[in-house]
Amino acid sequence: MSEDSKPLVGIVMGSASDWGVMRAAPETLERFGVPHEYRVASAHRTPELATEWARTAADRGLQVVIAAAGGAAHLAGVVAAHTHLPVLGVPLSGWALDGLDALLATVQMPKGVPVGTLAIGKAGAINAALLAIRILALSRPELAEKLRHFHQEETRKVMEIELTMD
Amino acid sequence: MSEDSKPLVGIVMGSASDWGVMRAAPETLERFGVPHEYRVASAHRTPELATEWARTAADRGLQVVIAAAGGAAHLAGVVAAHTHLPVLGVPLSGWALDGLDALLATVQMPKGVPVGTLAIGKAGAINAALLAIRILALSRPELAEKLRHFHQEETRKVMEIELTMD
Amino acid sequence: MSEDSKPLVGIVMGSASDWGVMRAAPETLERFGVPHEYRVASAHRTPELATEWARTAADRGLQVVIAAAGGAAHLAGVVAAHTHLPVLGVPLSGWALDGLDALLATVQMPKGVPVGTLAIGKAGAINAALLAIRILALSRPELAEKLRHFHQEETRKVMEIELTMD
Amino acid sequence: MSEDSKPLVGIVMGSASDWGVMRAAPETLERFGVPHEYRVASAHRTPELATEWARTAADRGLQVVIAAAGGAAHLAGVVAAHTHLPVLGVPLSGWALDGLDALLATVQMPKGVPVGTLAIGKAGAINAALLAIRILALSRPELAEKLRHFHQEETRKVMEIELTMD
Amino acid sequence: MSEDSKPLVGIVMGSASDWGVMRAAPETLERFGVPHEYRVASAHRTPELATEWARTAADRGLQVVIAAAGGAAHLAGVVAAHTHLPVLGVPLSGWALDGLDALLATVQMPKGVPVGTLAIGKAGAINAALLAIRILALSRPELAEKLRHFHQEETRKVMEIELTMD
Amino acid sequence: MSEDSKPLVGIVMGSASDWGVMRAAPETLERFGVPHEYRVASAHRTPELATEWARTAADRGLQVVIAAAGGAAHLAGVVAAHTHLPVLGVPLSGWALDGLDALLATVQMPKGVPVGTLAIGKAGAINAALLAIRILALSRPELAEKLRHFHQEETRKVMEIELTMD
Amino acid sequence: MSEDSKPLVGIVMGSASDWGVMRAAPETLERFGVPHEYRVASAHRTPELATEWARTAADRGLQVVIAAAGGAAHLAGVVAAHTHLPVLGVPLSGWALDGLDALLATVQMPKGVPVGTLAIGKAGAINAALLAIRILALSRPELAEKLRHFHQEETRKVMEIELTMD
Amino acid sequence: MSEDSKPLVGIVMGSASDWGVMRAAPETLERFGVPHEYRVASAHRTPELATEWARTAADRGLQVVIAAAGGAAHLAGVVAAHTHLPVLGVPLSGWALDGLDALLATVQMPKGVPVGTLAIGKAGAINAALLAIRILALSRPELAEKLRHFHQEETRKVMEIELTMD
């Protein structure tokens, strides 16, 4: 996290074992210079912590929340139920079913409480950060500019790929 | 609910629209004379209500909790996180995927917070009540006796079936 | 759409047959007084229209884009590739597989181009609108206030439900 | 198993190869000082053994039964058909389909014969033990106290996690 | 059933509600003049009946057994565990998941106890009868002859189909 | 294969790469002293070979046919369409989807042409052999006797398992 | 079919019951004036007919073959094994699993024998015809011209859609 | 690619990481002496490149296009929307769900824009090339001849397989 500014994006994950995959989210935010915070808070093992974290998120100055979990992934839904901030969910592959359980448990929210769900795993972690940046960029022209650079760079990298047969 | 006794089983469901299926649970408890209570409390739309209901369940004298929901069915997990009572989950078919989403969101709980999950839909509603009765019967011999009668009756009904070709 | 203000949310869907489900999105926005626009533009049958619509979305003043499609649901991804606005995807049940195809085709975006995906079908349509409102509310206090009212109302409605056995 | 007391929980699994995962169940019971027994008994290869084990479970003083199997996981259902004790099922990943077969074969019991199903694999093994403990704790205050300690400990462990970027 | 001969094929199903689909099996056997018997016996609600029926099947003169069930379809496996006769399983669509649960619960038998599984539902009921007939025909030339006629008839019927555009 | 007797069971598989798994079928037959033959014949790459092999199976004296394949596993169905012998199918895990493709492609046969399908992979290979033996045992008492011994042995092995905690 | 020209596209389906869906294929070809033929030929019930039809397809002047089936949909693969013409497969929803069985049985062909698979059901029937037309158009400029018109028309139709709220 | 002739088949893939699997396509074309081109162009990260590549494909002399991608695999659909050439899609296993996501996202195209989809992964890469060759062979007798040789060779290789037990 940038030392000198208040976090705009909060990242919460259900278990320390999610960190290996989820660190791609703060790394992406870092790349765009977006201040952020992250921590573990389980919807099931530490429900008070998770709901308190969510309930105070707006007051702490957060603008977007990213929640990641595996298995019966309730964390994003629990967070979305306790804040009015936009909540982005990242389903993680757990111990079986290759992430399908976490995907359905994150995305199939009933009407009234939305979770914007990204892809399973690391691609989702990165994209949650990028979607948070798109949201923040609505009122931060310098971030919009950085997004443009990011996409030009992505384009350039793809265009420079040389496939060879050996 | 039997008028003259405190509820032993609490049933909670995520939406009024679940009642058509879930009423099979209190009907089954009624058949065994088990006092119970039921209500709607959404993990997402009324999280405080759901967690408060769970947190006070033991103090209200409940011994077993049944929680039913569809889609990203978090209710049983949320309840299990806020009580030490045994929690039984009933996944309900929602608006897509034929109940697979609710099943995975209910059963794939991370270690530490168990939800005993029953079948999708009405069979699960009935069986949640029957599993609650099995639990209560551990210290209530008259319920154990009723269970024996119930199974004898089930057996008799199956044995009397006559299949005919016309 | 409110007559007197520029649209803030753009809704695009892949087929006129999606309208029966997707109209729940503009209806929800209407309820919050959020100006919006909607139209049909197929990623496959009218790719120029879809990409042009996406490319000019920001210039038209849109802040959030909602894209809905069924089957091999590419529309949200195509839109996200042509705008830097936040893009929300709604997978719709098509002619087979109960919406699983649209869900996976919408949510499993590769890193670099995020789509915040909501639930399959009408719940997703409503929640896409609500997530758009959460995003807009970051800089519009009156919307944040309306969200609070909306959730109080939802809570009240759940709490008033009376389940009866007859 | 504690040497000096009669088993309260019986654990049965379909194959010796399940032991690597399932030993997490007796280890969890051990941690709570709950006397237990465990053995292999296949619903298919040794049906008499399995049904006899189930039929005599209550007479042996067991209060809760845990049954684990992979593939067409019938063991929990067979056990539930031969005892009135509460039966908890643990689906195990087998040789294909990542445990989905065992999950559906365990959870989708027809009305009349309930199996409280836990998560696939090791998380399910641990949670089956914890759910058994929740059931036993209904009439054993010292177990309820241990559950409270367990959850406080779990909470403390989550709260102490420090995520670092290096 | 042919009045004057002992049944060669036994059909058992888990519930009277399966009869609407499963009657296609005895109807097919009837068409080939194969004596048979059928009944309801639930692996879960009447386990003694089901195992007794299986255990005595060979002594009653049965040569092939067909077992059909929905949901956590254990019946075929239970039967196969109690007889050395060839056992054919028919998975039936139950109350959710479109028969996938019954298919996996029937077919994914562990090594040692085989169930030859047919298609979900009515096609499976008919084909179980036809596979039983193929087995019986190994030592009954008149059945082999009838099979030949059956296939010629099937071929003729397909070849005579006229598709028209109006 | 026993040298001095004509094969009773024919095993065919779609690719040489299936042999590592499928050799468990002839090994099982060997254990029971059942003469057999096996070969590779692809329904797609060598359709004439596969159909010719099936068409002449009965004339070569085969009584039961086992067909195994992965992916869009057509081999068992093709074989079943060209012989009146009982056909047993073994779905194999291929290069994706963990064998679900082969399972559905083998088991979901249309009415008229039955394939008795066993479990995915090696368990299915062994069980196909055992089901073939059950069929052959109908008219070979010595095989029935061997089956009894086999199951007694299986029972004994399960009963002797000692689970230990170290 | 145009009366005065030899068929260029052959359509084969596994059952007369497929015609309700599959007639969309010849109707689409008709619209482009492409001569064609269609018939029922089951890979399982009439294998000789199906293979003969495939083997002689090129000699009859066909350029592209469309094969449609449900369940364990082998027809396209069988056809592809007996002709060198391009083969397009249409998986149809059968009696269970919503077409997933037919999709996997059609598309997961092993290397060496390709089937170009279209969407499940009617969309696939139409698109198989359109892909056949794209193939034929490679050497028929008038068809390429018609394709251009078709797509302009499709575009126009989408662009003219007016969504209204009443 | 053959040096001295214009490419007839264009291969495009969504990421450089697809090359390890997809190189099987150009290798197969090489084996038949079919001139071709290949490159990376992402539907999401470089949409202009992808659509431009597709739009100019016919003008560059391409006759068939092969598009491969993983996850929410939109590339084949995007390409098919921008060319009238026949488009063949290869779904690739991505970071989760074993390729099911890419399969559904490629094959479930809405009516109007066909993608002929091959198997997931390397088998699909090879078969896409072979289907392209079948299409090209319609007007190139020397390719038809090579296809015949290829299939004879495949047949010969299968027929020469010797399975041994050691």
Side-chain angles (χ1 to χ4, degrees):
Chain A
M1 182 178 53
S2 315
E3 290 300 301
D4 53 351
S5 45
K6 274 179 65 174
L8 293 173
V9 179
I11 302 166
V12 65
M13 65 208 82
S15 159
S17 64
D18 301 333
W19 182 233
V21 169
M22 277 310 294
R23 59 182 295 158
E27 283 167 2
T28 303
L29 293 168
E30 201 70 49
R31 182 171 169 187
F32 283 81
V34 174
H36 53 276
E37 59 170 55
Y38 44 80
R39 72 159 304 152
V40 172
S42 165
H44 299 120
R45 289 176 294 149
T46 59
E48 278 84 6
L49 175 60
T51 56
E52 188 61 20
W53 187 88
R55 206 179 280 119
T56 59
D59 292 342
R60 290 201 307 280
L62 296 182
Q63 300 273 299
V64 184
V65 170
I66 295 171
H74 300 188
L75 187 55
V78 164
V79 167
H82 288 88
T83 181
H84 292 163
L85 295 176
V87 177
L88 309 181
V90 182
L92 299 176
S93 281
W95 55 90
L97 302 175
D98 217 7
L100 183 64
D101 47 3
L103 171 57
L104 298 181
T106 302
V107 79
Q108 282 292 78
M109 292 290 289
K111 65 184 154 71
V113 187
V115 170
T117 304
L118 289 302
I120 297 168
K122 190 174 175 184
I126 293 169
N127 278 357
L130 290 171
L131 182 49
I133 292 165
R134 286 186 179 218
I135 292 169
L136 294 171
L138 291 172
S139 54
R140 289 169 185 79
E142 77 284 4
L143 269 183
E145 187 57 29
K146 282 182 186 171
L147 270 175
R148 249 185 307 277
H149 280 297
F150 170 77
H151 284 291
Q152 283 165 355
E153 191 63 11
E154 291 284 295
T155 301
R156 194 187 52 73
K157 283 195 290 188
V158 171
M159 299 197 67
E160 283 177 358
I161 294 166
E162 298 274 356
L163 302 174
T164 58
M165 267 297 183
D166 20 78
Chain B
M1 181 177 54
S2 313
E3 290 298 303
D4 54 351
S5 44
K6 274 179 66 173
L8 294 173
V9 178
I11 303 166
V12 65
M13 65 209 81
S15 159
S17 64
D18 300 333
W19 182 234
V21 169
M22 278 309 294
R23 59 181 294 158
E27 283 167 3
T28 302
L29 293 169
E30 200 72 48
R31 182 171 170 187
F32 283 81
V34 174
H36 55 276
E37 59 169 56
Y38 44 80
R39 71 159 304 151
V40 173
S42 165
H44 299 121
R45 289 176 294 150
T46 59
E48 278 84 7
L49 174 60
T51 57
E52 187 61 19
W53 186 89
R55 206 179 282 120
T56 58
D59 293 342
R60 291 201 306 281
L62 297 181
Q63 301 273 298
V64 185
V65 169
I66 296 171
H74 299 188
L75 186 56
V78 163
V79 167
H82 288 88
T83 182
H84 291 163
L85 295 175
V87 177
L88 309 181
V90 182
L92 300 176
S93 280
W95 55 90
L97 301 175
D98 218 7
L100 183 63
D101 47 2
L103 171 56
L104 298 182
T106 301
V107 80
Q108 282 292 79
M109 291 290 290
K111 66 182 153 72
V113 187
V115 170
T117 304
L118 288 304
I120 297 167
K122 190 175 175 183
I126 292 168
N127 279 357
L130 290 171
L131 183 47
I133 292 165
R134 287 186 179 219
I135 292 169
L136 295 172
L138 290 173
S139 54
R140 289 168 184 81
E142 77 285 3
L143 268 184
E145 187 57 29
K146 284 182 184 170
L147 270 174
R148 249 185 308 276
H149 281 297
F150 170 77
H151 283 292
Q152 284 165 356
E153 191 63 12
E154 290 285 294
T155 301
R156 194 187 54 73
K157 282 195 292 188
V158 171
M159 299 197 67
E160 283 177 359
I161 294 166
E162 298 274 356
L163 302 175
T164 57
M165 266 297 181
D166 20 78
Chain C
M1 182 176 53
S2 314
E3 290 300 302
D4 54 351
S5 45
K6 273 180 67 174
L8 293 173
V9 178
I11 302 166
V12 65
M13 65 208 82
S15 158
S17 64
D18 301 333
W19 182 234
V21 169
M22 278 308 294
R23 59 181 294 157
E27 283 167 3
T28 303
L29 293 168
E30 201 70 49
R31 181 171 170 187
F32 282 82
V34 173
H36 54 276
E37 59 170 54
Y38 45 79
R39 72 159 305 152
V40 173
S42 164
H44 299 121
R45 289 176 295 149
T46 59
E48 278 85 5
L49 175 60
T51 56
E52 187 62 19
W53 186 89
R55 204 179 283 121
T56 58
D59 293 342
R60 290 201 307 281
L62 296 181
Q63 300 273 299
V64 184
V65 169
I66 296 171
H74 301 187
L75 186 56
V78 163
V79 166
H82 288 87
T83 182
H84 291 162
L85 296 176
V87 177
L88 309 181
V90 182
L92 300 176
S93 281
W95 55 89
L97 302 175
D98 218 6
L100 183 63
D101 47 3
L103 171 57
L104 298 182
T106 302
V107 80
Q108 282 291 81
M109 291 290 290
K111 67 182 152 71
V113 187
V115 170
T117 304
L118 288 304
I120 298 168
K122 190 174 174 183
I126 292 169
N127 278 356
L130 289 171
L131 183 48
I133 292 164
R134 287 187 179 217
I135 293 170
L136 295 172
L138 291 173
S139 54
R140 288 167 185 81
E142 78 284 4
L143 269 183
E145 188 57 30
K146 283 181 184 171
L147 270 175
R148 248 184 308 277
H149 281 297
F150 170 78
H151 284 290
Q152 283 166 356
E153 190 64 12
E154 290 285 294
T155 301
R156 195 187 53 73
K157 282 195 290 187
V158 170
M159 299 197 67
E160 284 177 358
I161 294 166
E162 296 275 355
L163 301 174
T164 58
M165 267 297 183
D166 18 77
Chain D
M1 183 177 54
S2 315
E3 291 299 302
D4 54 350
S5 45
K6 274 179 66 174
L8 294 173
V9 179
I11 302 166
V12 65
M13 65 209 82
S15 158
S17 64
D18 301 333
W19 182 234
V21 169
M22 278 308 294
R23 59 182 295 158
E27 283 167 3
T28 303
L29 293 168
E30 200 71 47
R31 182 170 170 188
F32 283 81
V34 174
H36 55 276
E37 59 169 55
Y38 44 81
R39 71 159 305 153
V40 172
S42 165
H44 299 121
R45 289 176 295 148
T46 59
E48 278 84 6
L49 175 60
T51 57
E52 187 61 20
W53 187 89
R55 206 179 281 119
T56 58
D59 293 342
R60 290 200 309 281
L62 295 181
Q63 300 274 298
V64 184
V65 169
I66 295 171
H74 299 187
L75 187 56
V78 163
V79 167
H82 288 89
T83 181
H84 292 162
L85 295 175
V87 177
L88 309 181
V90 182
L92 300 176
S93 281
W95 56 90
L97 301 175
D98 217 8
L100 183 63
D101 47 3
L103 171 57
L104 298 182
T106 301
V107 80
Q108 281 292 79
M109 291 290 290
K111 65 184 154 72
V113 187
V115 170
T117 304
L118 287 304
I120 297 167
K122 190 175 175 182
I126 293 168
N127 278 356
L130 289 171
L131 183 48
I133 292 164
R134 286 185 179 218
I135 292 170
L136 295 172
L138 290 173
S139 54
R140 289 168 185 79
E142 78 284 5
L143 269 183
E145 187 58 29
K146 283 182 185 170
L147 270 174
R148 247 185 309 275
H149 280 297
F150 170 77
H151 284 292
Q152 284 165 356
E153 192 64 11
E154 290 285 295
T155 301
R156 194 187 53 72
K157 282 195 290 188
V158 171
M159 298 196 67
E160 284 177 358
I161 294 166
E162 297 273 356
L163 303 174
T164 57
M165 267 297 181
D166 19 78
Chain E
M1 182 176 54
S2 314
E3 291 299 303
D4 53 352
S5 44
K6 274 179 65 172
L8 294 173
V9 179
I11 302 166
V12 65
M13 66 209 81
S15 159
S17 64
D18 301 333
W19 181 234
V21 169
M22 278 309 294
R23 58 182 295 158
E27 284 167 2
T28 302
L29 293 168
E30 201 71 47
R31 181 171 170 186
F32 282 81
V34 174
H36 54 276
E37 59 170 55
Y38 44 80
R39 72 159 304 150
V40 172
S42 165
H44 298 121
R45 289 176 294 149
T46 60
E48 279 83 7
L49 174 61
T51 57
E52 188 62 20
W53 187 88
R55 205 179 281 118
T56 58
D59 293 341
R60 291 200 308 280
L62 296 182
Q63 301 273 300
V64 184
V65 169
I66 296 171
H74 300 187
L75 187 56
V78 163
V79 167
H82 288 88
T83 182
H84 292 163
L85 295 176
V87 177
L88 309 181
V90 182
L92 300 176
S93 280
W95 56 90
L97 301 175
D98 217 7
L100 183 64
D101 47 2
L103 171 57
L104 298 182
T106 301
V107 79
Q108 281 292 80
M109 292 290 290
K111 65 185 154 70
V113 187
V115 170
T117 304
L118 288 302
I120 297 167
K122 190 174 175 183
I126 293 169
N127 279 356
L130 290 171
L131 183 48
I133 292 164
R134 286 186 179 218
I135 291 170
L136 296 171
L138 290 173
S139 54
R140 288 167 185 81
E142 78 283 5
L143 269 183
E145 187 58 28
K146 282 181 186 173
L147 271 174
R148 249 185 307 277
H149 281 298
F150 170 78
H151 284 291
Q152 284 165 357
E153 191 62 12
E154 291 284 294
T155 301
R156 194 186 52 72
K157 281 195 290 189
V158 171
M159 299 197 67
E160 282 177 358
I161 294 165
E162 297 274 356
L163 303 174
T164 58
M165 267 296 181
D166 20 76
Chain F
M1 181 177 54
S2 315
E3 290 300 301
D4 54 351
S5 44
K6 273 179 67 172
L8 293 173
V9 179
I11 302 166
V12 65
M13 66 208 82
S15 159
S17 64
D18 300 333
W19 182 234
V21 169
M22 279 308 295
R23 58 182 295 158
E27 283 167 3
T28 302
L29 293 168
E30 201 71 47
R31 182 170 170 188
F32 283 81
V34 174
H36 54 277
E37 60 170 54
Y38 45 80
R39 72 158 306 152
V40 173
S42 164
H44 299 121
R45 288 176 294 149
T46 59
E48 278 85 5
L49 175 61
T51 57
E52 187 62 20
W53 187 88
R55 205 179 281 120
T56 58
D59 293 342
R60 290 201 308 280
L62 295 181
Q63 300 273 298
V64 184
V65 169
I66 295 171
H74 300 187
L75 187 56
V78 163
V79 167
H82 288 88
T83 182
H84 292 163
L85 295 176
V87 176
L88 309 181
V90 182
L92 300 176
S93 280
W95 56 90
L97 301 176
D98 218 7
L100 183 63
D101 46 3
L103 170 57
L104 298 182
T106 301
V107 79
Q108 282 291 80
M109 291 290 290
K111 66 184 154 71
V113 187
V115 170
T117 304
L118 288 303
I120 297 167
K122 190 174 174 183
I126 292 169
N127 278 357
L130 289 171
L131 183 48
I133 291 165
R134 286 185 179 219
I135 292 170
L136 294 172
L138 290 173
S139 54
R140 288 167 185 80
E142 77 284 5
L143 269 183
E145 188 57 29
K146 283 181 184 171
L147 269 175
R148 248 185 309 276
H149 280 298
F150 170 78
H151 283 291
Q152 283 165 357
E153 191 63 13
E154 290 284 295
T155 300
R156 194 187 53 72
K157 281 195 291 188
V158 171
M159 299 196 67
E160 284 177 358
I161 294 166
E162 297 275 357
L163 301 175
T164 58
M165 266 297 180
D166 20 77
Chain G
M1 181 177 53
S2 315
E3 291 299 303
D4 54 349
S5 45
K6 273 179 67 171
L8 294 173
V9 179
I11 302 166
V12 65
M13 64 208 83
S15 159
S17 64
D18 301 333
W19 182 233
V21 169
M22 278 309 295
R23 59 182 294 159
E27 283 167 2
T28 302
L29 293 168
E30 201 70 47
R31 182 171 169 186
F32 282 81
V34 173
H36 54 277
E37 59 170 54
Y38 45 79
R39 73 158 303 152
V40 173
S42 164
H44 299 121
R45 289 176 294 150
T46 58
E48 278 85 5
L49 175 60
T51 56
E52 187 62 19
W53 186 88
R55 204 179 283 119
T56 57
D59 293 342
R60 290 201 308 281
L62 296 181
Q63 301 273 298
V64 184
V65 169
I66 295 171
H74 300 187
L75 187 56
V78 163
V79 167
H82 288 89
T83 181
H84 292 162
L85 295 176
V87 177
L88 309 182
V90 182
L92 301 176
S93 280
W95 55 89
L97 301 176
D98 217 9
L100 184 64
D101 48 3
L103 171 57
L104 298 182
T106 302
V107 79
Q108 281 292 80
M109 292 289 290
K111 66 184 154 71
V113 187
V115 170
T117 304
L118 289 302
I120 298 168
K122 190 174 174 184
I126 293 169
N127 278 357
L130 290 171
L131 183 49
I133 292 164
R134 286 187 179 217
I135 293 169
L136 295 171
L138 290 172
S139 55
R140 288 168 185 81
E142 77 284 4
L143 269 183
E145 187 58 28
K146 283 181 185 172
L147 269 175
R148 247 184 309 275
H149 280 299
F150 170 78
H151 284 292
Q152 283 165 356
E153 191 64 12
E154 290 285 293
T155 300
R156 194 187 53 72
K157 282 194 291 188
V158 171
M159 299 197 68
E160 283 177 358
I161 294 166
E162 297 274 355
L163 302 174
T164 58
M165 268 296 182
D166 18 77
Chain H
M1 180 177 52
S2 315
E3 290 299 303
D4 53 350
S5 44
K6 274 178 67 172
L8 294 173
V9 179
I11 302 167
V12 65
M13 66 208 81
S15 159
S17 64
D18 300 333
W19 182 233
V21 169
M22 278 309 294
R23 59 182 294 158
E27 283 167 3
T28 302
L29 293 168
E30 201 70 48
R31 182 171 169 187
F32 283 81
V34 173
H36 54 276
E37 60 170 55
Y38 45 79
R39 72 160 304 153
V40 173
S42 164
H44 299 120
R45 289 177 292 149
T46 58
E48 279 84 6
L49 175 60
T51 56
E52 187 61 18
W53 187 89
R55 206 179 281 121
T56 57
D59 293 342
R60 290 202 307 280
L62 296 182
Q63 301 273 298
V64 184
V65 169
I66 295 171
H74 300 188
L75 187 57
V78 163
V79 167
H82 288 88
T83 182
H84 292 163
L85 294 176
V87 177
L88 309 181
V90 182
L92 300 176
S93 280
W95 56 89
L97 302 175
D98 218 7
L100 183 64
D101 48 2
L103 171 57
L104 298 181
T106 302
V107 79
Q108 281 291 80
M109 291 290 289
K111 65 183 154 71
V113 187
V115 170
T117 303
L118 289 302
I120 298 167
K122 191 174 174 185
I126 293 169
N127 278 357
L130 290 171
L131 182 49
I133 292 164
R134 286 185 179 218
I135 292 169
L136 295 172
L138 290 173
S139 54
R140 289 169 184 80
E142 78 284 5
L143 269 183
E145 188 57 29
K146 283 181 184 171
L147 270 175
R148 248 185 308 275
H149 281 298
F150 170 78
H151 284 291
Q152 284 164 356
E153 191 62 13
E154 290 285 294
T155 301
R156 195 186 53 71
K157 282 195 290 188
V158 171
M159 300 197 67
E160 283 177 359
I161 294 166
E162 297 274 355
L163 302 174
T164 58
M165 267 296 183
D166 19 78

